[in-house]
Amino acid sequence: MADFLPSELVITPKGGVYHLDICPEDLARKIIIVGDQDRVELISNYFDEVTHKSQHREFACHTGTFKGKELSIISTGIGTDNIDIVINELDALVNIDLKTRNEKNEKISLEIVRLGTCGILQDEIPIDSFILSTHALGIDNVGHFYERNVDAETKKLEQEIEGKVKLPKYIKPYLTKASERLNKRLDNPQIEKGITVTSSGFYGPQGRRLRLPLVETEMLDSFSDFKHDEIRFSNLEMECSALFALGSALGHETTAICLGLANRRKKEFTTNYETKITELIEYVLDKI
Ligand code: R1P
Ligand code: URA
């Protein structure tokens, strides 16, 4: 019997994965994921050649070459629930034989960089900064569904954070790590770094109060105030925790670099999105 039956791994009539609706030959080994579908074309406009273009639901995929490097740019839509789909299906495309439905013996490790936008948690990080995630603290729930190995140092830091940050009582945070190898490539002295908080929503779960009162009004400040040696929370978004948790558990290299749109401490929001996202795209394409 095959390792993965049709109800568990859904394969399309043309031999692709169910939600992304792409086939193994459509995917490069280096991948940039973005939340916003419109950002896919902003990036692939830089390609020397585009060899594949598709879209199913919020999942657009453009594959091609940039200065000789083969790349796929894929939109995930918003949230860690979508990341669960994207990472499982990307892994299936390279590590499961979709014809026989069996796991391959030789595994492929993908390089996956999230190029996103985020909120900022520190006064001294200006809006329009580029922020590289060293870790992500998930206050969503996707990571809790999978068995993962967490190293002792990360577990210790997770426990310290859990003891200090203020969260609604049913939220169990989980700490995940970005790829140090990818971060070395993407780093430079102008890039801000820190732990990224990954929330399950944009409003209440990121401490924004519109008309509904919040259960825990001190959450955001408790992230901003946390310090452990040089370690701090830098930013807040909606995908990194699941990306790092599932990506590393499956043997892929994953990280994220985000443009800071809102400084949540100083209550400021950018007016330079188009210019700055273009700069970030050019930076990542050059370094990846
Ligand atoms: C919220 O506006 C969305 O923007 C951020 C958040 O993570 C969330 O997906 O990232 P993207 O700009 O990549 O979508
Ligand atoms: N994306 C988020 O998730 N939060 C922000 O504040 C800005 C962008």
Side-chain angles (χ1 to χ4, degrees):
M1 193 167 60
D3 291 341
F4 305 103
L5 296 176
S7 59
E8 312 305 297
L9 173 62
V10 182
I11 298 174
T12 64
K14 67 175 185 201
V17 284
Y18 185 47
H19 298 90
L20 299 186
D21 193 25
I22 57 177
C23 296
E25 60 273 20
D26 302 329
L27 187 71
R29 301 292 181 258
K30 287 181 193 282
I31 300 166
I32 297 176
I33 60 172
V34 297
D36 180 357
Q37 296 148 54
D38 293 343
R39 211 174 294 147
V40 173
E41 186 138 46
L42 274 186
I43 305 177
S44 70
N45 278 340
Y46 286 88
F47 281 6
D48 319 317
E49 185 195 13
V50 178
T51 51
H52 167 87
K53 260 191 185 189
S54 60
Q55 173 148 14
H56 180 232
R57 297 179 181 242
E58 56 267 68
F59 309 111
C61 174
H62 294 185
T63 296
T65 51
F66 172 77
K67 295 189 179 164
K69 286 183 276 201
E70 262 197 49
L71 292 173
S72 290
I73 319 298
I74 298 176
S75 58
T76 65
I78 291 181
T80 53
D81 48 349
N82 281 353
I83 294 292
D84 177 64
I85 288 172
V86 171
I87 301 306
N88 274 297
E89 293 191 3
L90 289 179
D91 181 71
L93 281 166
V94 293
N95 289 324
I96 296 175
D97 181 331
L98 299 187
K99 292 199 175 77
T100 62
R101 297 178 166 279
N102 288 324
E103 186 169 339
K104 293 182 183 170
N105 293 327
E106 296 279 305
K107 299 293 186 300
I108 286 174
S109 174
L110 298 168
E111 287 183 0
I112 308 173
V113 175
R114 167 168 150 71
L115 191 165
T117 63
C118 65
I120 296 167
L121 287 166
Q122 299 294 335
D123 294 84
E124 71 274 13
I125 303 182
I127 48 171
D128 297 336
S129 300
F130 300 164
I131 304 168
L132 185 62
S133 307
T134 58
H135 301 74
L137 184 80
I139 56 171
D140 64 308
N141 62 10
V142 170
H144 292 308
F145 288 86
Y146 294 94
E147 297 223 354
R148 304 180 288 120
N149 288 324
V150 181
D151 65 70
E153 200 185 335
T154 307
K155 198 77 215 156
K156 195 158 163 256
L157 182 59
E158 178 185 275
Q159 280 162 357
E160 188 182 334
I161 291 169
E162 196 173 352
K164 287 197 180 150
V165 299
K166 296 192 172 148
L167 293 166
K169 72 174 173 198
Y170 298 112
I171 305 295
K172 164 89 179 104
Y174 63 100
L175 190 65
T176 62
K177 260 179 93 171
S179 156
E180 286 174 21
R181 198 164 69 78
L182 286 182
N183 278 4
K184 273 202 191 105
R185 238 189 274 162
L186 287 163
D187 199 4
N188 85 35
Q190 274 76 55
I191 304 274
E192 301 283 348
K193 286 167 283 290
I195 306 176
T196 299
V197 177
T198 298
S199 297
S200 52
F202 184 81
Y203 292 97
Q206 290 188 25
R208 286 186 171 92
R209 184 196 161 157
L210 298 187
R211 289 200 329 109
L212 282 179
L214 301 181
V215 169
E216 179 49 77
T217 55
E218 291 173 32
M219 179 179 81
L220 218 57
D221 283 338
S222 75
F223 288 134
S224 304
D225 295 343
F226 177 88
K227 283 269 163 358
H228 172 100
D229 301 331
E230 294 302 297
I231 299 173
R232 60 170 183 177
F233 286 99
S234 48
N235 60 332
L236 188 60
E237 52 75 83
M238 297 179 61
E239 289 82 19
C240 284
S241 57
L243 170 65
F244 301 168
L246 273 65
S248 60
L250 287 163
H252 305 295
E253 303 272 342
T254 54
T255 193
I257 185 161
C258 289
L259 169 65
L261 299 183
N263 187 308
R264 300 297 309 288
R265 300 278 286 183
K266 295 173 130 180
K267 316 287 180 216
E268 294 169 347
F269 196 84
T270 186
T271 51
N272 294 323
Y273 172 76
E274 274 83 11
T275 317
K276 287 293 165 180
I277 202 76
T278 303
E279 271 179 38
L280 182 58
I281 288 168
E282 290 172 1
Y283 181 75
V284 172
L285 280 173
D286 194 45
K287 298 279 180 188
I288 194 179

